[in-house]
Amino acid sequence: MVEYRQEETVKIDSNNLVIHFIDVGQGDSILISKNNEHVLIDAGNNEDGALLVEYFKELGIKKFKYIVGTHAHEDHIGGI
């Protein structure tokens, strides 16, 4: 099992909006979910890919509506 650290999850129940700020070390990764649609913004370093896949599996996420890489540095898009 891959271990991950989740920094913070924000839930706004009236809109079914959930925002996960996922701790991937130096890089960034944010998951935004609403009404069973998911947007991933950045995915950390190359080695963070397995960690994120496990995290998404635990949440039951099988696909994303959008995946956004904010810029082409390895600590933002490597885990994609």
Side-chain angles (χ1 to χ4, degrees), residues 16 33-38 59-63 65:
N16 295 323
S33 299
K34 182 176 179 179
N35 298 328
N36 206 30
E37 292 186 327
H38 311 284
L59 293 174
I61 296 172
K62 296 182 181 182
K63 68 178 187 174
K65 184 162 186 149

Side-chain angles (χ1 to χ4, degrees), residues 1-78:
M1 176 168 182
V2 177
E3 290 189 32
Y4 57 85
R5 298 179 315 267
Q6 180 180 340
E7 283 188 6
E8 185 175 352
T9 299
V10 177
K11 296 180 181 181
I12 304 171
D13 292 332
S14 63
N15 294 316
N16 295 323
L17 179 68
V18 181
I19 304 170
H20 301 256
F21 299 94
I22 305 166
D23 183 352
V24 290
Q26 174 186 337
D28 291 318
S29 188
I30 300 169
L31 170 65
I32 302 171
S33 299
K34 182 176 179 179
N35 298 328
N36 206 30
E37 292 186 327
H38 311 284
V39 175
L40 178 64
I41 302 171
D42 289 338
N45 290 295
N46 290 340
E47 61 272 8
D48 296 320
L51 173 147
L52 291 171
V53 168
E54 187 66 29
Y55 186 79
F56 303 143
K57 282 182 180 179
E58 288 183 19
L59 293 174
I61 296 172
K62 296 182 181 182
K63 68 178 187 174
F64 295 94
K65 184 162 186 149
Y66 300 104
I67 296 177
V68 178
T70 58
H71 62 283
H73 287 162
E74 193 255 341
D75 62 332
H76 290 263
I77 64 169

